[in-house]
Every structure is written in C-alpha cells, then in structure tokens.
Amino acid sequence: MSRSAGIAVVCFVLGGVAGWWLGTYIAPEDTRAPDAGSQTSFAHPTAVAATGPASATAAPEPRSEREPLASSGLLDLQRLLESAPVPETGATGTIEGRVVTPELQPVPGVTIQAVANRPPSPDDRPAPAADPEADLETRIRDVVHLHRWQAATRRETTTDAQGEYRLGGLADSPYQIRASCRGYDVVSVREGAWKSVRPGERLDFVARRSVLLPVAVLSPDGSPWPSCAIHIRSGESHRTAAWSHDAPEVALAPGTHDLQARAPEGLASKAVPVTVQAGVRPDRLILQLAPTVGVHGRVIVGDDEAPHALHVWLVPVKHGAVPGSLEVPGLGRHLEVSADRLFAYRFDGLEAGLHAIGVGRTREFADHVESVAIRAPQTEQDVRLPPPDPRHYVHVTVLGPPDEPLSGVSVSARAISPSFELSHSPASIPGRNRSVWIRHSPEIEDDPGPLRHFVFAQSPWHGSVEREYRPGDDAAVALQFVTPALLKVSLQGAPGLASDLRLDLALVRHPIGPMSLWAAGAEPDAQGCAVLGPVQPGLHDLVLDMETDEGLPIEIARATVPLQSGENHWSLPVPPLYDVHVEIEDGAGSELELRSKDTARWFVLSEQADPEGRLVFRHVPAGNYALGAMPTEQMSIRVPAGGVIHFAPEPVNAMLVLIHSPDGLLARAGFQAGDVVIGVDGKRFENLGQLIGLLTEGTRRRDPAKLMVVRNGQELTIPFHLRDMDNHAKAGGRMEPSRWP
C-alpha cells in the first residue's frame, strides 16, 4: 500500500469514528427526554442518519484532522486504537426511579436506558472536545476511548409491575437517563433533569398516553425524503425526534404542538401547528423541506479552562449598533452548547444581514461578543472565547496535604455585605490541573455597602477551607488543605437522653469574617456517642441541638473545641431539660407560644390546651421566656418554674431587644442585648395598640426615629431607622413585645 493510500484509509476510518461520536446533525438542546414514538436511536441519542451529499449542518470538522499522520498505513492506525485506554469495569453505582401516569398509576414495561455523558480524561488530560489544539493521534485515541467508555457503561432495564426501575453497575459519572414506551409520551418529573444524573440519585418519570401522528417529509422538488429530524415545540418545551420513511409516525401527547422537519443538508420545513386528541386518529401531516439561511460554527476555548457547557446568543444588529455583554443575554436566540459536541452551535431560519454572536460561561452574562455577516444559504464562523477576565473571575487552585492539586472538591464563592446580606457566585468553570474559574459574586441592589468576597472548598475526605480575596487585585487564589481532624464526642449528664429525643451534633468553624461555617454534623447513638468529621483543624464550636415536633432545632448545649489533625476526643455536658406545665382559666383549646428571650438561642414552641385548659411544653432548657398568645397577651416566666404556671397575661407596653449578630444594624446603632424600648420620639408606649401605631408610623419616615431605651435602669435615646426591622438578618436581631417595668 502506498503512503497516500494509507493516509486515505486512515482518514476514512477516522471520519467514521468521529462521525459516530459527533453525529451528523446539530440541533438545539432538548428540554426533555425523547419518547417512545420518536424511536430515537440509542446509539445516536441526538443524531439523525444523513443520506445524500455531505452534511452542511454537521459539526464543523476540526482543521487539524485534515493533516496527515506522522506515520502512514493501517499499522499506524491499529497502534493508535490499541493504545487507547480500556475503561475500568466493576462499577457499583445505581440510579433508581419510578414511572407513573398523571393519575399516579404505575406503568410497567417502560424501557430505561443510561449512557455516560463523558469519561474521565486519560492521564488527567483534557477531554478531546475541550482541547481543539490536540494533535491528531491524541484525538483518535480520545475518540476511541469515548466510544469504549460509553459502550462499557451503557445500561438498560425495564420497569416492573410497580413502575419501579433500577440501573446498576454504573460508573462515577453523570449519565443521560432516557425512558421510552410505545404509546406513551414519557418525560422526567424535573424538566431537563434526565440530561445529567449521577449514581445515588433518583429520577422519576411521568408517562402520558400519546397519539401517533403519521408524517410525510418531501424534498424541495417534491420527492420523498428518506430520513430527517422532527423538531417538536410544545408550549415552552421542545425536543427532537428521529423520523424516517420506514418509521413515519411521531408520538405526541394530546394537545397542540408545532412540528418542523430539519435535514442535515441545510434544509428545513416551515413550522406547522398540529392539534391531536386522545383516541382520535390524526390525518397525515406533510412537511416539505426548503433551503434555509443560517450560521454555524464552534466555540474555541483556551488551554487554561475546560468548561462542560457554554451559552451562545445570536442577536440581529439594528442601526449598526452591536449590543454589549450585559445586553445580549436578554435579546435574540439562545443555545447551550456542550463540550461533548465540540461546542458546536447552529442557528437556522434567519434573515440575511449583520448579527451579533455572544458567548458566555454563564447564562446571565456574555463574556465575548462579535459580529457576523450572515449570507444565504449558510455562514460558518468559529468564535474564539477569550480567557476569563480577572475583573470578573478569580482562578482557584485547591491543594491537598501533599501540596498537590486535589480532586473531588466542590468550590464556590460568596460575598457578604456590611449588613450581613449574602451574594452567591453565579457559576464556576473547570480549569486545567483541577483548578476552577469562579465568577465574582454580584453586588446587592438594595445594599450599597462594600462586599467582602470569599472562596470555599468542600472535600468529603478533608473537610472545608475558605479564604477572603479582593476582586481585581487577587487574580488567583490557592486554598490549602492539611491533614484533617476527627472528633469523637460523648454526651455526659443526661442518661437516656439520646434515645428519648431527636438530637443532632454539629461542628461550626470559628469565623474568619462576619460568618460561621458549618463543618460537620452527626446524630449521637443511644449511648450518646458520635463521630464528627473529617474537618480541617482549628477552633470549632460543638453544638448540640434538639429537634422539636415541628422539626425546628433548639440549641441546648455549646462548647468551643480546639481540633488538631488526627483523632480528637471531647465530653460534652448536657444541661437538664424541664417540662413546663401551664393552666389557662376557661382556656379549652387555646394555643400558647413559649418564646425564648435568650439571644444566643432564640426559638419558639407552640402547644394547644386540652379540654380542661391544661398544656405542657416538654424538654425546655432553663432560661427566661415569654408565655402567651403573641403579641396581644403574654407573661414573663423563668424555667424551671417550680410548679404549675397559671397563665395571667400582662399588658404589653415595651419591646425587648434581642441581638443575633454584632455586625447587624441594631448593634451598629448602639443597641445591646436586653435593652428595653419604652417609647419613640418622646412618647411612651401605654398599651399594645399605641405601641403598634407609633412603630408603624416610624417605619414610614425617611429620617431615623428616636427610640427611648432603658438599659440597666438608666434611660437613653438611640436613633434608628425602624424600616430596617423588616429584615431580621440585616438588622442582626429583633424586637419582641415585652412589659416594663
């Protein structure tokens, strides 16, 4: 075989393998799983076999694949195929779920299929879709590896008589889960959730009786067309079904749908509305293909990032003004493109003229916008995405105890305002060497104060770490994990408490800023023992909570614990809990609340009296409480009470100040825990009605009200904007109805 003939054979085989992987038809992302009637090929979940000339709508062929191999002939190709890694077997993950009708009746015999979205990249290299600059040999090996991976991880089962299914032997990778049953339109309960399901998760489906619509597709000259894709839009959702001359029926749920035929040759029909009814045989629908005007291409990313998906917008340019990065996401048409498809995009049905193409790493922001002049019939334009801008992103590297990049870590970012409002980062983008690009948390509209920005990393094997950074100044941040700590806890002082009550133990890291970070939690066993961790060493608060019948946690014990790497031990004394017995004269069926006045552990309990007017609050920590029908009637009590409490409400004429955060607006205005507000603007509260009226009037003022406060027997005046009490988190506390003196 000559050198040129060898190269030709290699390129022919490579084209076949790449064609299987890429598919021959690029369509917008589906919003739900295909149904049985669509008869979508499982081997080509979103592809339609093309006949005739070379497809104009296929994903653009990478230019590097037109270059010859370093060596020629079939031996070179065989060597490359044999060198592609063989996927590991023995995976044990499972995905379970159920298929029911809208009336919650089980649907047996539904085919459930799973295929892994993408394998881990061999040798910690980027996946081929995310690395367009890789050499040809690397790309061949990666394509073959993907093929072997999907073949080895593909699973299929059917639902049983109860509509239940279980897919076993799954690798630790996201899967597409597809459900199909002839005569049914099967969709996931959570729209779009079928696209990425991990082992251990559950995915349920709803199956609705479908109507089979006969469809005929004609070529532009009127002759029968062999096969194409039918794009179906139903309200806000849309999907693509495979169609062929041999399988001409499309399954539709009863209702109105828009159907459009799309072929790989740059052809499409008009979208035709169709209404189908259950039990009624619909007439045949005829769709005729015609040339379309469109644009297609690829988004090319740099070597420093490996995103799984990107967003592409296409916006017509009016009056020569190209829209900016913030304007594009709210205009024109949108696609989400994936790395598995080489970030290929395609827009059809356009008008020729100048358009703007925007590409974003998140749905809310276009990181790059450029113009494209679209001409009939098709325009090809690749878009190169610039590296993440340090003005908008921070590059985060997570290092493990050996000072090496750590895998299996969840990285996120948050920002905190001076008034304790939180702002979360909209997205994170995988980078090379297990790093992450994170977009800065956005500003808070109604809180103009400067934000403090933090990045967090959570590892199931090491705990969590955090670090503050300055956007724009800190372009890169490194988070360092050290050898983690484990804490073995034993509860002391309350025999049998752990078996009688619902208890939870939690470790809360001491804050590096105006917040505390939950680190670990566990339920103590019947002997009052638990193991918490792994967590990073340092000072932690060990908190013991009791869960009420309403599911609310009540803190009953807390201790500060210094943790070191390795195993730690701590004995936590548990204070006694008391039952509070209350009697209400003529109070049959009355409901009372017990509100804690302790700012460190504020909570509310509620109980209803029996026909004799008696009720009991069980397992109450010692402290000061307000008892009553809030806020109209209440009385102050102390627990333990030393006997039955006879409910005798006291008139409300004051407000008790409770401080939750030293950084809140109440504390910054000068309030302290335990302050009693007795009036406003020189007017003392006489009763509850006057109190509510004066405070309501104060919330309408733009200037601060002058609150009359009693502290340790001394009166003072503190200016405060009463409208800030609407948000307890921002205020850093609250005011509770009370009695003074």
Side-chain angles (χ1 to χ4, degrees):
M1 179 182 294
S2 68
R3 177 179 178 82
S4 59
I7 294 176
V9 171
V10 170
C11 292
F12 174 79
V13 176
L14 173 61
V17 176
W20 166 85
W21 179 52
L22 296 177
T24 60
Y25 184 77
I26 301 300
E29 292 291 319
D30 291 348
T31 60
R32 60 179 184 171
D35 56 72
S38 67
Q39 301 181 5
T40 303
S41 169
F42 184 59
H44 304 268
T46 55
V48 176
T51 60
S55 171
T57 60
E61 182 182 13
R63 295 179 176 82
S64 59
E65 295 189 6
R66 292 195 288 266
E67 299 172 3
L69 290 168
S71 302
S72 63
L74 291 176
L75 292 178
D76 294 323
L77 178 60
Q78 180 179 359
R79 173 180 57 82
L80 289 175
L81 299 182
E82 291 175 349
S83 66
V86 178
E88 298 180 1
T89 57
T92 59
T94 61
I95 295 176
E96 300 177 350
R98 192 181 187 210
V99 183
V100 297
T101 66
E103 296 76 28
L104 302 182
Q105 296 300 313
V107 182
V110 178
T111 300
I112 308 293
Q113 301 166 324
V115 61
N117 284 341
R118 58 185 295 171
S121 297
D123 306 325
D124 198 29
R125 288 184 288 103
D131 190 11
E133 305 302 328
D135 60 79
L136 181 56
E137 294 188 9
T138 299
R139 295 177 65 80
I140 294 175
R141 280 195 297 267
D142 287 342
V143 168
V144 175
H145 177 56
L146 176 63
H147 173 69
R148 290 178 176 175
W149 167 267
Q150 292 187 331
T153 57
R154 187 177 292 117
R155 299 291 183 267
E156 181 174 318
T157 187
T158 57
T159 56
D160 59 20
Q162 287 73 42
E164 301 280 351
Y165 73 88
R166 184 178 185 273
L167 293 162
L170 302 180
D172 185 16
S173 172
Y175 279 78
Q176 289 188 14
I177 307 298
R178 299 171 178 269
S180 61
C181 184
R182 185 167 182 81
Y184 285 92
D185 181 48
V186 188
V187 299
S188 58
V189 172
R190 303 189 312 276
E191 185 175 352
W194 63 274
K195 296 180 182 178
S196 180
V197 185
R198 283 191 170 276
E201 297 179 350
R202 181 180 179 88
L203 183 64
D204 296 327
F205 292 86
V206 174
R208 296 177 175 87
R209 285 285 183 182
S210 60
V211 179
L212 295 180
L213 173 69
V215 177
V217 180
L218 305 179
S219 65
D221 61 8
S223 60
W225 192 263
S227 63
C228 67
I230 303 296
H231 184 73
I232 306 166
R233 179 172 292 276
S234 309
E236 296 297 326
S237 64
H238 58 86
R239 61 188 175 95
T240 300
W243 176 93
S244 70
H245 185 74
D246 297 328
E249 294 179 323
V250 176
L252 300 173
T256 301
H257 313 268
D258 290 335
L259 274 68
Q260 181 188 37
R262 297 178 179 177
E265 287 72 16
L267 303 174
S269 73
K270 294 182 178 180
V272 178
V274 175
T275 300
V276 295
Q277 300 177 3
V280 178
R281 175 71 176 178
D283 295 332
R284 186 175 67 161
L285 175 67
I286 299 177
L287 301 174
Q288 184 162 10
L289 299 171
T292 63
V293 176
V295 60
H296 65 273
R298 286 175 47 203
V299 180
I300 301 174
V301 299
D303 295 335
D304 292 334
E305 55 180 318
H308 301 309
L310 295 171
H311 298 269
V312 182
W313 296 270
L314 186 70
V315 182
V317 173
K318 298 180 180 179
H319 310 297
V322 177
S325 298
L326 295 176
E327 301 172 296
V328 165
L331 303 172
R333 296 167 61 177
H334 166 259
L335 283 177
E336 182 176 336
V337 296
S338 66
D340 293 334
R341 295 179 179 275
L342 294 176
F343 301 118
Y345 73 89
R346 181 181 185 87
F347 294 98
D348 285 309
L350 306 175
E351 293 184 2
L354 187 64
H355 288 66
I357 295 181
V359 179
R361 298 174 175 88
T362 70
R363 181 65 173 85
E364 298 80 15
F365 184 84
D367 294 280
H368 174 70
V369 179
E370 64 182 55
S371 60
V372 54
I374 297 178
R375 302 178 179 87
Q378 287 288 321
T379 299
E380 179 179 354
Q381 180 159 320
D382 292 343
V383 181
R384 185 170 295 276
L385 184 63
D389 190 336
R391 295 176 300 173
H392 306 298
Y393 293 88
V394 60
H395 188 223
V396 182
T397 303
V398 182
L399 303 176
D403 292 334
E404 295 180 356
L406 194 62
S407 60
V409 179
S410 172
V411 183
S412 61
R414 281 183 287 180
I416 306 164
S417 73
S419 57
F420 207 57
E421 292 283 344
L422 293 180
S423 173
H424 297 268
S425 170
S428 61
I429 299 94
R432 305 298 188 205
N433 299 321
R434 300 171 181 152
S435 63
V436 176
W437 292 91
I438 296 184
R439 190 168 181 85
H440 303 320
S441 302
E443 299 293 328
I444 301 173
E445 292 184 2
D446 57 351
D447 194 337
L451 297 180
R452 296 179 63 183
H453 292 259
F454 298 84
V455 288
F456 301 86
Q458 179 76 37
S459 167
W461 304 282
H462 297 84
S464 59
V465 294
E466 70 284 335
R467 179 178 168 183
E468 185 173 2
Y469 76 98
R470 298 181 303 277
D473 295 334
D474 298 326
V477 173
L479 296 175
Q480 177 71 59
F481 280 100
V482 299
T483 302
L486 284 176
L487 178 62
K488 294 187 174 182
V489 180
S490 60
L491 303 179
Q492 302 295 326
L497 185 66
S499 58
D500 295 339
L501 301 176
R502 289 169 291 182
L503 300 179
D504 286 298
L505 282 164
L507 280 174
V508 181
R509 293 196 65 180
H510 274 208
I512 61 170
M515 65 177 298
S516 295
L517 187 65
W518 183 91
E523 294 184 7
D525 59 22
Q527 289 72 42
C529 299
V531 178
L532 289 87
V535 300
Q536 286 295 285
L539 279 181
H540 290 70
D541 278 354
L542 177 62
V543 182
L544 176 64
D545 286 338
M546 174 184 66
E547 185 177 324
T548 67
D549 292 337
E550 293 79 16
L552 301 175
I554 297 177
E555 180 184 317
I556 59 177
R558 178 183 288 256
T560 300
V561 181
L563 296 181
Q564 299 179 349
S565 295
E567 191 172 292
N568 299 259
H569 297 265
W570 195 267
S571 177
L572 181 65
V574 180
L577 303 176
Y578 304 91
D579 291 345
V580 179
H581 296 262
V582 181
E583 289 187 357
I584 311 171
E585 185 177 355
D586 298 328
S590 299
E591 185 172 319
L592 294 184
E593 291 182 350
L594 189 66
R595 290 176 175 252
S596 170
K597 294 184 178 182
D598 187 347
T599 58
R601 56 179 183 188
W602 186 87
F603 60 89
V604 179
L605 301 176
S606 179
E607 292 291 344
Q608 188 172 16
D610 62 18
E612 284 75 33
R614 296 190 296 259
L615 56 85
V616 181
F617 295 95
R618 299 195 179 278
H619 308 303
V620 179
N624 295 313
Y625 295 85
L627 173 67
M630 308 299 176
T632 56
E633 296 180 329
Q634 64 171 291
M635 62 181 294
S636 297
I637 67 170
R638 172 75 185 174
V639 176
V644 177
I645 297 174
H646 297 276
F647 181 59
E650 306 160 346
V652 173
N653 64 353
M655 300 289 288
L656 176 66
V657 178
L658 305 177
I659 301 294
H660 303 156
S661 169
D663 297 290
L665 296 180
L666 280 171
R668 288 160 56 188
F671 285 100
Q672 297 180 10
D675 285 351
V676 179
V677 179
I678 61 173
V680 58
D681 294 332
K683 299 177 183 179
R684 291 181 181 269
F685 304 136
E686 300 293 340
N687 50 53
L688 178 63
Q690 186 197 36
L691 182 149
I692 294 176
L694 290 174
L695 292 181
T696 302
E697 182 181 345
T699 60
R700 299 170 182 158
R701 297 170 45 173
R702 294 186 177 181
D703 59 326
K706 297 179 180 179
L707 301 187
M708 303 162 62
V709 178
V710 175
R711 178 185 299 163
N712 299 325
Q714 302 293 321
E715 290 192 23
L716 62 152
T717 300
I718 299 179
F720 188 74
H721 287 280
L722 288 173
R723 63 174 180 268
D724 291 332
M725 290 306 303
D726 292 340
N727 188 327
H728 291 160
K730 188 174 181 179
R734 66 181 71 224
M735 295 184 186
E736 289 290 321
S738 184
R739 171 70 182 170
W740 185 85

